[in-house]
Amino acid sequence: MRALQVLDSRKLAVVDLPEPPPPGPGEVQIRIGAVALNHIDVWGWRGMAFAKRKLPIVVGVEAAGEIAAVGAGVTTFRVGDPVVMYGALTCGVCKACREGRDNLCEEVKGILGFHVDGFARDLINCEARLVVPVPAGVSMRDAACAPIAFSTVEHMLFDNAKLQPGETILVHAGGSGIGTVAIKMAKAIGCTVITTVGDDAKVEKAKALGADHVINYRTDRFEGVTRKLTAKKGVDVVFEHTGAETFPGSLLVLKRGGRLVTCGATSGPTVTFNLMQLFQQQYKIFGSFGASLRNIRDSLAKMAGGLTPVIDMEVPLADFARGLERIESRQVFGKIIVNF
Ligand SMILES: [Zn+2]
């Protein structure tokens, strides 16, 4: 079967690997249909010295497929069912897993496509408990954006920041995969959305998604514009993932008691901020990573209800690196899909 491996820093190759054995008890075998790209794929492709892993490794963190075979004891899936898979090997028995907070697993064995072999291959065996059915009406392409992009945003906005209808939110990098999802999810519950983009062509695209105010951060300072737009009050929530370049400014534009939620540091991991400001303004800062299986089910339900992902482009397996370059160079607007 085909698989896409990272061999070394920035070096990918389509290779021929043996097919997996028939699924064992409690497992299903899945034929992959589409892989969606995320910034974590860029980190993995560039090489991360601190990530414990052995190369070569099969890439692909987020994917959708259909059931190809069912192991003993699995009654919830049948051959042909469309499914998505959880992106990490959680233990299923620790307190966090038992409570459905899978992304806080105490014995996690790694993220697929990053620490251990991922989804960019024709066939994979997965534990059935980490597989989620795709509802009718959701395409393979769209479903591939549920396990990471959609569910990460769902977890950030609703479990962590507790975003409420009518609130005002600043979404950084509104053209990114998760940025486009955050705009759509916040608008869907009636929030006012301010977002930033890096070029004028993306301004219209972000407005078309429903963003109320779009700031080109290369020509305007988002801090000043946001304070002006909110009559100096600031926003209720900031959706952060850009990190060092924006984080101090993100705190500045929060209203007293406002919430900042972050899941990334694409422009750098280290910042300085004022603790006096933190406690006097009573800010709440949430670090968010991954999502629960419930978040994936809720994301797919939103897709079935019409809240679909923005697709930047679709490429064949051999062009995986072209997609990563497009994310790295910030040209992307929405999600990039790799088709099988
Ligand atoms: Zn666990």
Side-chain angles (χ1 to χ4, degrees):
M1 67 168 185
R2 293 171 305 158
L4 185 71
Q5 289 182 325
V6 58
L7 308 176
D8 202 349
S9 189
R10 291 182 186 268
K11 203 170 165 205
L12 290 168
V14 179
V15 298
D16 192 29
L17 291 185
E19 288 190 1
E27 287 185 343
V28 290
Q29 187 168 91
I30 294 156
R31 181 169 297 283
I32 301 294
V35 170
L37 300 187
N38 289 280
H39 214 98
I40 190 170
D41 295 299
V42 177
W43 295 122
W45 168 65
R46 279 183 190 158
M48 286 189 98
F50 61 82
K52 273 191 188 171
R53 59 181 191 168
K54 271 189 199 159
L55 296 181
I57 188 172
V58 178
V59 298
V61 181
E62 178 175 52
E66 63 176 42
I67 300 287
V70 175
V74 176
T75 55
T76 42
F77 294 106
R78 290 194 312 194
V79 171
D81 285 351
V83 292
V84 297
M85 295 72 71
Y86 196 70
L89 297 177
T90 60
C91 76
V93 295
C94 74
K95 185 167 184 289
C97 282
R98 280 185 280 121
E99 290 173 356
R101 295 179 299 136
D102 318 67
N103 50 333
L104 288 169
C105 174
E106 295 159 20
E107 297 289 339
V108 64
K109 292 188 199 75
I111 296 171
L112 279 88
F114 190 75
H115 302 109
V116 296
D117 282 335
F119 296 113
R121 49 176 143 170
D122 287 318
L123 292 167
I124 186 170
N125 289 356
C126 294
E127 285 186 63
R129 71 179 174 86
L130 293 174
V131 176
V132 179
V134 174
V138 177
S139 70
M140 181 78 76
R141 182 190 79 171
D142 289 357
C145 304
I148 304 286
F150 260 59
S151 62
T152 294
V153 177
E154 177 81 17
H155 187 54
M156 290 172 75
L157 293 184
F158 303 113
D159 295 343
N160 285 317
K162 301 208 164 29
L163 184 68
Q164 300 296 318
E167 288 192 315
T168 299
I169 180 170
L170 171 67
V171 175
H172 279 294
S176 63
I178 57 171
T180 52
V181 179
I183 292 171
K184 291 186 80 166
M185 282 192 183
K187 284 311 297 180
I189 64 160
C191 290
T192 298
V193 176
I194 303 169
T195 192
T196 63
V197 294
D199 68 59
D200 283 338
K202 289 184 184 176
V203 171
E204 290 312 313
K205 288 183 181 178
K207 283 190 177 157
L209 294 188
D212 298 277
H213 307 283
V214 185
I215 304 164
N216 181 341
Y217 65 80
R218 294 188 201 273
T219 53
D220 282 308
R221 282 173 54 85
F222 76 88
E223 300 92 326
V225 178
T226 303
R227 285 185 64 77
K228 206 169 179 180
L229 286 169
T230 57
K232 293 188 184 168
K233 281 201 191 109
V235 298
D236 299 287
V237 171
V238 176
F239 179 89
E240 251 291 346
H241 52 117
T242 40
E245 280 178 16
T246 52
F247 197 95
S250 294
L251 287 180
L252 272 181
V253 302
L254 272 183
K255 154 187 299 190
R256 183 170 297 155
R259 295 96 75 197
L260 183 153
V261 61
T262 182
C263 74
T266 53
S267 70
T270 307
V271 294
T272 304
F273 65 87
N274 186 331
L275 289 171
M276 302 269 287
Q277 178 197 15
L278 175 71
F279 64 75
Q280 284 176 355
Q281 296 299 319
Q282 301 168 61
Y283 294 151
K284 296 176 183 71
I285 300 177
F286 298 92
S288 197
F289 192 72
S292 67
L293 285 159
R294 175 181 52 79
N295 292 137
I296 297 176
R297 286 190 289 270
D298 290 350
S299 295
L300 287 163
K302 284 186 178 180
M303 287 182 186
L307 203 165
T308 52
V310 177
I311 305 299
D312 178 75
M313 66 172 186
E314 296 181 64
V315 296
L317 185 59
D319 285 344
F320 200 96
R322 189 157 66 90
L324 297 179
E325 284 161 7
R326 199 167 159 79
I327 294 175
E328 187 180 38
S329 63
R330 302 187 185 186
Q331 291 170 290
V332 67
F333 193 92
K335 293 287 288 177
I336 296 175
I337 305 293
V338 176
N339 288 313
F340 272 67

